[in-house]
Amino acid sequence: MSADIWHLDPWTVLAIVLMGAATYACRGGGYWLFRQISPSPLVRAILHYVPGTLFLSFVVPALVHGGLQPTMGAVATAITMIYARNLGLAIAAGVIASYGVWMLR
Amino acid sequence: MSVVESEVVFTWAGFRRGARQSVPLIAGMLPFGIVTGITGLSQGLSLAEITLMSAVVYAGASQLVALAVWTHPPDLIAVTFAAFVVNLRLALMGPVLAPWFHKFKGWRVWLSLFVMVDHNWALSVREINAGYRDAAYLLGGGTVLFVAWVAATALGAVLGAQLHLPPGHPLFFAALGAFVAVLAQMWRGMGDLLPWAVAAVVAVMVAQILPGTFWYIVAGAIAGSIVGGVRDHRRRLVS
């Protein structure tokens, strides 16, 4: 294990560099582009919904695939987040609920 | 926006003020970083690779999404596209800071944008609206959060190596739970119901049709966003 932690796979490094380039294209490119042109109201209205629908599209199929264990965790996390507004606490509540289902099997 | 462009400066004092005011945000970033590190390790990445990714990409949500669908060797197109789509919101955030950066060119602008994340962006918008006029504020906060993020993911990778968790262990829910928690905060009201429902249905369908790929995330987001955006746009035209 001690030798493994410094391992750098060339394909993984290339993937990381490409991800970094794509991310900076968003950070810097957005600023540059919007300095030149201003997007239409329709484009702005569509982009307004991107963050929420994106994360939802990641979460829902994972819950459908994972079944009761992650679903109960998700319910516990959502309820804790709405009432406590604390990310660490909400994740902990979800892990505990998920652990409960795991133990019962 | 009462800031006059000629008044804007870029000084150490502004850098230090941004850095100081970002320190409390580290507490909120830590669990997310640790989860990302543990997820990276469970997907077969080394500590060096996980740390490199945090330093080069420095965008937690996109790292977590890409790691969740990671393969060996990685699907280069898939992970690059995932990073682009998840981080598109950053393209909308940068222009809001124009009152500070319009006057500057070169490294001040482009380095500041590299360390721009949701947290220090939100603080900067608050400062701009309050009439603060030192643009180094963003870079100061971003530098503190950058160091904290890289350290937190490395810590997660080290912790994950100690734990040796079997696949399906409930602790892995933490990665999914981070997104559920963010979603619970993002819900803005009934107007989100239709686009979110469309996104969920399309994502589940595409995940069935194309198993083992990540395209369902993009398909769901595009379908839901277009439905919501077109609806709002039409409503505005009518009224």
Side-chain angles (χ1 to χ4, degrees):
Chain A
M1 198 65 214
S2 56
D4 277 345
I5 61 170
W6 301 116
H7 180 250
L8 285 174
D9 172 66
W11 286 106
T12 298
V13 171
L14 181 60
I16 289 168
V17 169
L18 289 173
M19 281 176 70
T23 304
Y24 194 73
C26 294
R27 283 196 169 105
Y31 180 81
W32 179 83
L33 187 72
F34 283 61
R35 229 177 172 175
Q36 324 290 322
I37 54 131
S38 54
S40 74
L42 177 63
V43 171
R44 273 198 183 274
I46 290 171
L47 290 173
H48 186 64
Y49 285 101
V50 167
T53 55
L54 185 92
F55 293 139
L56 194 78
S57 302
F58 178 72
V59 166
V60 175
L63 296 182
V64 170
H65 182 74
L68 193 63
Q69 189 182 314
T71 303
M72 293 312 288
V75 170
T77 295
I79 291 171
T80 310
M81 195 65 193
I82 289 165
Y83 288 103
R85 297 254 151 218
N86 181 313
L87 182 66
L89 207 63
I91 294 173
V95 169
I96 291 166
S98 173
Y99 202 81
V101 176
W102 196 57
M103 294 292 281
L104 287 174
R105 279 187 317 182
Chain B
M1 307 258 168
S2 58
V3 180
V4 179
E5 274 184 34
S6 59
E7 289 177 355
V8 180
V9 292
F10 197 98
T11 69
W12 264 113
F15 183 95
R16 283 198 303 272
R17 182 179 153 92
R20 209 166 44 238
Q21 295 193 352
S22 291
V23 169
L25 299 175
I26 293 173
M29 200 178 228
L30 269 178
F32 203 56
I34 291 172
V35 166
T36 305
I38 292 176
T39 306
L41 195 85
S42 73
Q43 294 288 45
L45 275 76
S46 69
L47 173 64
E49 288 164 347
I50 291 164
T51 310
L52 182 72
M53 185 190 282
S54 284
V56 171
V57 181
Y58 182 44
S62 65
Q63 289 177 236
L64 207 45
V65 167
L67 286 171
V69 296
W70 204 266
T71 51
H72 294 277
D75 183 339
L76 295 177
I77 296 171
V79 296
T80 306
F81 202 63
F84 185 75
V85 175
V86 176
N87 291 323
L88 262 180
R89 72 182 190 290
L90 297 170
L92 300 174
M93 284 158 47
V96 179
L97 304 178
W100 271 356
F101 291 107
H102 243 39
K103 183 190 153 190
F104 298 109
K105 286 193 171 98
W107 67 270
R108 288 181 180 87
V109 177
W110 305 114
L111 189 64
S112 294
L113 287 171
F114 177 74
V115 294
M116 177 184 73
V117 287
D118 305 75
H119 312 64
N120 62 335
W121 176 80
L123 286 180
S124 297
V125 171
R126 190 194 67 191
E127 293 294 307
I128 287 176
N129 291 336
Y132 189 67
R133 55 188 181 80
D134 196 326
Y137 183 92
L138 179 73
L139 184 61
T143 304
V144 166
L145 295 172
F146 178 86
V147 172
W149 175 249
V150 174
T153 50
L155 179 66
V158 171
L159 285 177
Q162 307 299 318
L163 293 171
H164 288 297
L165 302 171
H169 189 279
L171 202 58
F172 290 122
F173 171 78
L176 197 60
F179 289 108
V180 174
V182 170
L183 274 170
Q185 267 189 318
M186 280 183 169
W187 175 262
R188 289 175 301 225
M190 290 311 281
D192 282 336
L193 188 62
L194 178 68
W196 283 31
V198 170
V201 170
V202 170
V204 169
M205 274 166 45
V206 175
Q208 296 282 335
I209 298 164
L210 298 169
T213 67
F214 87 108
W215 294 107
Y216 63 92
I217 303 171
V218 179
I222 290 174
S225 298
I226 288 177
V227 167
V230 169
R231 179 198 59 190
D232 291 359
H233 188 65
R234 283 209 179 139
R235 270 188 197 162
R236 253 177 309 190
L237 292 182
V238 171
S239 62

